[in-house]
Amino acid sequence: MRPTQIYYESNIEQYTLGKELKVKFSDIPWIPIENHNNIEELRTKENSEFRNLKQLLIIGTRKTHKYVENHKVSDYLVPYTSSGCTAMCLYCYLVCNYNKCSYLRLFVNREQMMDRLIRYSTRSDRELTFEIGSNSDLILENEVTGNLPWTIENFTKCKKGSITFPSKFSMVDPLLPLNHQGRVIFRMSVNPEEVIRDIELGTSSLDKRIEAINKMAEAGYKVGILVAPVIMVDNWKAIYSQLFDRLEAKLSEKMKKQMFIEVIFMTYSFVHRKINAEAFPESIELFDQEKMTGRGMGKYCYRNTLRLDGEIFIHDELERRFGPGRILYIC
């Protein structure tokens, strides 16, 4: 990533990573701000400028460190080194939560976050798994910061617990030689190539994602497949069947022996519809009144009958190819 502009909090140069980023991007305009969470000139931009906002980089320190209980792959969702992303997935939940402000934000106080993570893990009376990538894509972030090798090398100094993160990107080579001690769980999000091309804009292709999965499995990481989000576009069953055929054919035997699968159906929103209509006027319309119903404030999900049919279909298709017991959950 080469941002067009960088907005930064003045105290970032108190941190090692802040100093490094100042040098790395010295040829790019730097604009001082008081708070990375409230940049008025960006909040007031028109929806049509969403693509341009994605080319910005925001650098500050993370102030919120509250862990949230989770009951899927991890025990806790952990606020970590970044939020937002440079990709432009038309359904992105960060857009729903932050409206236009889903650009990549980096937090340079990583030592503070790592110390808290290690203390939390060490004090627990059981082995915990921490989700460190719920607000961003850390494989993408790593291209800017180099934080993932730093994270893995420092976390494994603590002898308890595991960390996990998902990705839609394939740039995993910096992680392959690391001594991760089997305590890092990597999860690759997959979708049919048509969905990646038309909806998950700016992310790695399916073939590159599969290649990255096999590389990580070969390097001894625990690796899972995240089928997410399942989107009921026209002929969705056919293209998801093709996706599963492709995974069956191209995943390595080592990966297949240890893989687990998560399945998440898409939730959409009024905010997505407004931004996508103005920023991506030629894109596919994901809202379908016949298939969707309201869910909370301004959100939409698939109707119960369609959803149940979809869950049964996905479950049966995956079990037929990869055997029983692979699916952790469908939600």
Side-chain angles (χ1 to χ4, degrees):
M1 177 193 178
R2 295 297 297 177
T4 56
Q5 290 179 313
I6 296 174
Y7 290 78
Y8 73 103
E9 295 177 347
S10 59
N11 65 339
I12 67 164
E13 290 187 82
Q14 298 174 18
Y15 300 90
T16 299
L17 180 58
K19 294 175 182 176
E20 292 174 355
L21 293 172
K22 266 283 196 179
V23 173
K24 181 175 183 177
F25 295 117
S26 60
D27 60 330
I28 291 172
W30 286 68
I31 302 169
I33 54 173
E34 291 187 5
N35 187 339
H36 69 79
N37 216 20
N38 186 19
I39 308 173
E40 186 62 26
E41 67 180 272
L42 301 186
R43 285 188 178 276
T44 56
K45 294 287 188 182
E46 297 295 327
N47 288 334
S48 58
E49 295 200 50
F50 185 76
R51 287 177 183 265
N52 294 330
L53 290 171
K54 283 287 190 173
Q55 303 304 311
L56 303 176
L57 183 60
I58 317 301
I59 305 176
T61 59
R62 185 180 278 286
K63 286 84 174 175
T64 302
H65 301 278
K66 182 181 178 180
Y67 291 9
V68 177
E69 286 192 17
N70 192 37
H71 304 286
K72 293 179 180 176
V73 175
S74 65
D75 297 288
Y76 290 97
L77 305 179
V78 174
Y80 202 52
T81 51
S82 58
S83 179
C85 182
T86 62
M88 293 171 281
C89 301
L90 301 184
Y91 54 74
C92 178
Y93 80 95
L94 292 175
V95 173
C96 182
N97 288 342
Y98 303 147
N99 202 342
K100 292 180 285 292
C101 305
S102 59
Y103 32 62
L104 181 59
R105 290 185 288 174
L106 303 178
F107 307 118
V108 296
N109 52 328
R110 61 186 183 184
E111 292 83 2
Q112 181 184 8
M113 290 178 270
M114 179 56 65
D115 287 346
R116 177 176 170 80
L117 190 59
I118 289 175
R119 287 199 310 271
Y120 214 103
S121 185
T122 301
R123 291 174 182 172
S124 174
D125 59 2
R126 62 188 178 91
E127 295 281 334
L128 297 175
T129 299
F130 301 94
E131 167 66 84
I132 61 173
S134 61
N135 287 327
S136 185
D137 193 305
L138 297 186
I139 294 293
L140 173 69
E141 186 224 296
N142 191 62
E143 293 291 289
V144 180
T145 64
N147 268 340
L148 269 179
W150 182 92
T151 294
I152 293 169
E153 289 165 358
N154 280 276
F155 181 76
T156 51
K157 293 175 184 177
C158 163
K159 300 306 178 185
K160 287 179 66 177
S162 299
I163 53 176
T164 183
F165 54 91
S167 184
K168 291 184 177 73
F169 289 90
S170 61
M171 301 84 77
V172 298
D173 285 0
L175 309 186
L176 302 182
L178 301 180
N179 181 20
H180 53 80
Q181 300 176 19
R183 294 167 51 215
V184 178
I185 305 168
F186 174 70
R187 292 136 55 219
M188 179 63 85
S189 177
V190 297
N191 248 319
E193 193 65 67
E194 297 92 329
V195 171
I196 293 173
R197 182 189 66 232
D198 297 335
I199 299 173
E200 296 181 346
L201 310 179
T203 64
S204 295
S205 69
L206 178 59
D207 281 343
K208 287 189 177 296
R209 295 188 201 187
I210 294 173
E211 181 182 358
I213 290 169
N214 290 336
K215 285 181 178 180
M216 291 292 278
E218 187 60 34
Y221 287 89
K222 298 175 183 177
V223 184
I225 299 289
L226 183 56
V227 184
V230 176
I231 305 177
M232 292 181 170
V233 294
D234 293 340
N235 77 324
W236 75 272
K237 287 185 177 180
I239 64 172
Y240 277 89
S241 289
Q242 292 165 11
L243 166 65
F244 301 147
D245 286 341
R246 203 152 159 188
L247 292 174
E248 184 181 22
K250 294 198 171 186
L251 290 178
S252 68
E253 290 305 312
K254 186 169 185 176
M255 173 59 190
K256 290 178 185 177
K257 287 178 182 177
Q258 60 97 66
M259 69 186 288
F260 62 89
I261 304 170
E262 306 164 77
V263 182
I264 302 175
F265 280 75
M266 183 184 72
T267 298
Y268 201 52
S269 78
F270 174 79
V271 172
H272 289 116
R273 293 183 68 194
K274 290 289 289 182
I275 292 176
N276 291 341
E278 297 177 38
F280 309 101
E282 298 180 359
S283 67
I284 184 174
E285 171 59 81
L286 294 181
F287 177 73
D288 188 325
Q289 190 169 6
E290 297 299 316
K291 296 178 180 178
M292 292 178 171
T293 185
R295 178 184 178 182
M297 300 223 12
K299 295 185 179 180
Y300 313 107
C301 64
Y302 292 114
R303 297 181 183 276
N304 288 340
T305 52
L306 284 172
R307 173 67 175 266
L308 179 59
D309 175 67
E311 290 181 3
I312 293 171
F313 172 79
I314 295 287
H315 177 275
D316 291 350
E317 290 289 300
L318 288 171
E319 282 213 342
R320 181 164 64 83
R321 292 169 177 81
F322 303 108
R326 300 291 188 180
I327 302 173
L328 293 187
Y329 64 86
I330 301 178
C331 69

